[in-house]
Amino acid sequence: MGNNSNIDRSWLTSAKESIGQWSYIMLKDADNNDIDWDWVRALDLEHGIGVAGPADLEPGADSSVHDLLKADLEIRDRLEAIIAKMSMVFMRDFDRHIKTYELPRALAYADRRLNDQIALLRDRGVAEGLWTVADEDRQRVTVPVLTAARDGVVVDDIQDRTAEIVNARAEQRKADRAAREEARHHRQMALINADEVKYGSVEAGPDESAPADSSSDAGSPDYLIEGQPVINDDNPAVPGVEQVATDETAVAEPRYAQFRHAAAEHTAEHMAAAPKEYWREVFLPGRDVDNVMGIDLETNGTEPYRAYIIDVGFEYMNMKSPRPADAPSGYSYDKDYYQGGDAYDQHRFSFGVTPEAARHGNAFIIQLTGIDISQRTGDEYPLFDEDPAAQADLLKRLTSQPFVAHMATFEHSFFMLNVAGYAEAYRNGHVTIIDTLPMSRLWDEGSIPCEGHPDGDNTLDAYAKRQGALREDDAERHLGLEDTHIMLLAMKHHLTQLKAEARGPWGPGGKAGVGGKRIINHRRHYPRERRTPIYD
């Protein structure tokens, strides 16, 4: 791994002091394997956890590149299965046995350097003519696939297992959700059946619940009054309980109507308690949202425990109140036609990668963003995960007002494993996250499904164009500040339109208040055994 004598990495070792807290409640990893915490404790997080030394990364070295690569991949798979479970365990640690999220950040730090080493070992094998490497899409992820370049070269045991692991976990989560849904359905039906015993059946006709001398039409089970539906609060044309009791009806007593109405209400309550199908709805803004900070990250990969943050852009914009009069103006963007609008407090930061990551490079990132990570080393480009001042500044901003991102779970996952104190602040309810992706999917009628986008085209590029923040003949820039700006412009225009049309946050399903995803902790209001946070 690259070294800088001015960087204090002692926190990586001290982070292991919390292993006792983690081992107390986390016995299994994400693949349901027992965790050997003594093995974790023995990892040298400061100096590298891989088996190869610097000389082993050079083509022609005397060591076996196959054996080194195999050993490193085994370490990575074992470590990442632990990291993948830690977020859920930390957030569900309602009794706060685990005091800090420092250990996951430290393990992710070491895992990034291990992945740099793995990439260079693959490169060495290519240089020595042992194999070729090609990226292939495998369902949810893209992985490098090795192909032997000559007879006698074995590559089956050194293939990247990421796709196999990730896809298996996804299928297990799917099966777990189905099991929970089935159990929820059974509980719901049990409640409905209990209500039917107490209040009468919602589906049953008057002949089943009315007095024996009723003259109701047994062939019309869904009617109380001939030719009119059962009592329904959503239909003003249907009579209420009092009117049913007054009018001549097929049932003489109002008691049946009251029971029937109560049964319908209880059933509606149980149905309303069912979980929402689209989980991102919790990230939608409320009708009182105002001051927000938009943010966008550019990274050299998609996994926060493997990739580095290389570009950060953020700025502020008020969704309701006027722009601060004393805020500086005259901001410039990569695209000259971008309108400043109501943006203020704009910032752009560039960060680097390790010398090993720079040596390997990333052609895709150059094509996507224009950033050549092979040039992102040295004092000019500090590593974000080694820059405590940058992390502290960002954390202060992230906890001062809601932050907005497009597909915000991406930024959130990188903050969790890169920003000291973020996970703790989030768990304690000091972070509110708003996502423009579900705004596009649920509230933008232009987001129509198509063959390439079965849920509609909800990329930031498409959303910004529909909301007038990006020209039709242009494209998303894939730079932090520029993408943040068009996202905020699109969001403000969209919210203004939704308010005028009484839709979105101002519609029937809208949220009061700021909205967004946050954790509300009611520890003060419950006895110790019931201190459970609510995920809003």
Side-chain angles (χ1 to χ4, degrees), residues 47 50 147 153 222 273 293 325 369 373 388:
H47 304 98
T147 302
V153 175
D222 292 329
M293 184 185 79
T369 68
I373 65 170

Side-chain angles (χ1 to χ4, degrees), residues 326-338:
D326 59 347
S329 59
Y331 294 126
S332 61
Y333 301 92
D334 184 70
K335 301 286 186 178
D336 293 337
Y337 76 87
Y338 283 6

Side-chain angles (χ1 to χ4, degrees), residues 222-502:
D222 292 329
Y223 288 76
L224 280 178
I225 304 174
E226 187 175 358
Q228 290 189 332
V230 294
I231 298 169
N232 183 341
D233 290 334
D234 295 329
N235 186 349
V238 177
V241 171
E242 296 78 10
Q243 188 65 31
V244 168
T246 302
D247 294 344
E248 181 181 355
T249 69
V251 181
E253 296 83 3
R255 178 176 57 84
Y256 169 69
Q258 292 172 345
F259 283 3
R260 181 88 172 215
H261 191 73
E265 287 182 336
H266 277 253
T267 301
E269 288 175 3
H270 294 320
M271 295 302 293
K276 297 178 179 178
E277 293 183 1
Y278 184 44
W279 60 272
R280 289 186 191 272
E281 286 188 32
V282 296
F283 292 94
L284 290 170
R287 49 183 170 267
D288 299 314
V289 67
D290 186 18
N291 170 237
V292 298
M293 184 185 79
I295 190 165
D296 183 74
L297 304 179
E298 301 300 333
T299 63
N300 71 325
T302 58
E303 295 297 339
Y305 40 77
R306 294 186 184 180
Y308 298 91
I309 295 173
I310 57 176
D311 188 75
V312 179
F314 59 85
E315 68 179 17
Y316 293 76
M317 189 175 290
N318 296 350
M319 298 292 114
K320 294 173 61 177
S321 63
R323 179 181 181 275
D326 59 347
S329 59
Y331 294 126
S332 61
Y333 301 92
D334 184 70
K335 301 286 186 178
D336 293 337
Y337 76 87
Y338 283 6
Q339 299 298 315
D342 296 321
Y344 62 95
D345 198 6
Q346 175 195 95
H347 295 269
R348 184 200 308 269
F349 296 103
S350 298
F351 295 96
V353 298
T354 61
E356 292 79 10
R359 175 177 166 182
H360 177 68
N362 192 318
F364 175 74
I365 295 300
I366 297 176
Q367 179 183 4
L368 183 68
T369 68
I371 297 174
D372 184 357
I373 65 170
S374 68
Q375 306 301 314
R376 287 288 181 106
T377 57
D379 294 339
E380 184 181 357
Y381 295 105
L383 276 71
F384 185 82
D385 65 2
E386 291 186 342
D387 192 335
Q391 295 172 38
D393 178 77
L394 185 57
L395 178 64
K396 182 179 179 180
R397 297 174 184 273
L398 292 170
T399 54
S400 298
Q401 69 293 299
F403 80 82
V404 180
H406 196 78
M407 198 170 75
T409 49
F410 178 83
E411 275 73 17
H412 172 71
S413 66
F414 271 86
F415 294 153
M416 288 284 290
L417 290 175
N418 279 273
V419 179
Y422 175 84
E424 294 86 343
Y426 178 65
R427 186 174 72 169
N428 290 331
H430 303 313
V431 175
T432 300
I433 311 171
I434 295 175
D435 196 340
T436 52
L437 175 60
M439 289 183 64
S440 173
R441 181 173 179 181
L442 298 175
W443 295 341
D444 189 342
E445 61 276 1
S447 176
I448 55 177
C450 60
E451 184 177 353
H453 301 278
D455 294 317
D457 190 349
N458 301 300
T459 61
L460 177 58
D461 184 282
Y463 178 60
K465 287 177 179 176
R466 289 195 297 269
Q467 297 301 327
L470 188 64
R471 284 194 324 215
E472 287 292 335
D473 61 349
D474 202 0
E476 176 186 353
R477 184 60 184 88
H478 291 290
L479 285 175
L481 182 58
E482 279 67 25
D483 290 357
T484 296
H485 185 63
I486 64 171
M487 174 188 66
L488 289 178
L489 286 177
M491 178 182 176
K492 184 163 187 176
H493 177 272
H494 198 186
L495 286 176
T496 301
Q497 181 183 31
L498 291 169
K499 183 177 182 180
E501 299 173 356

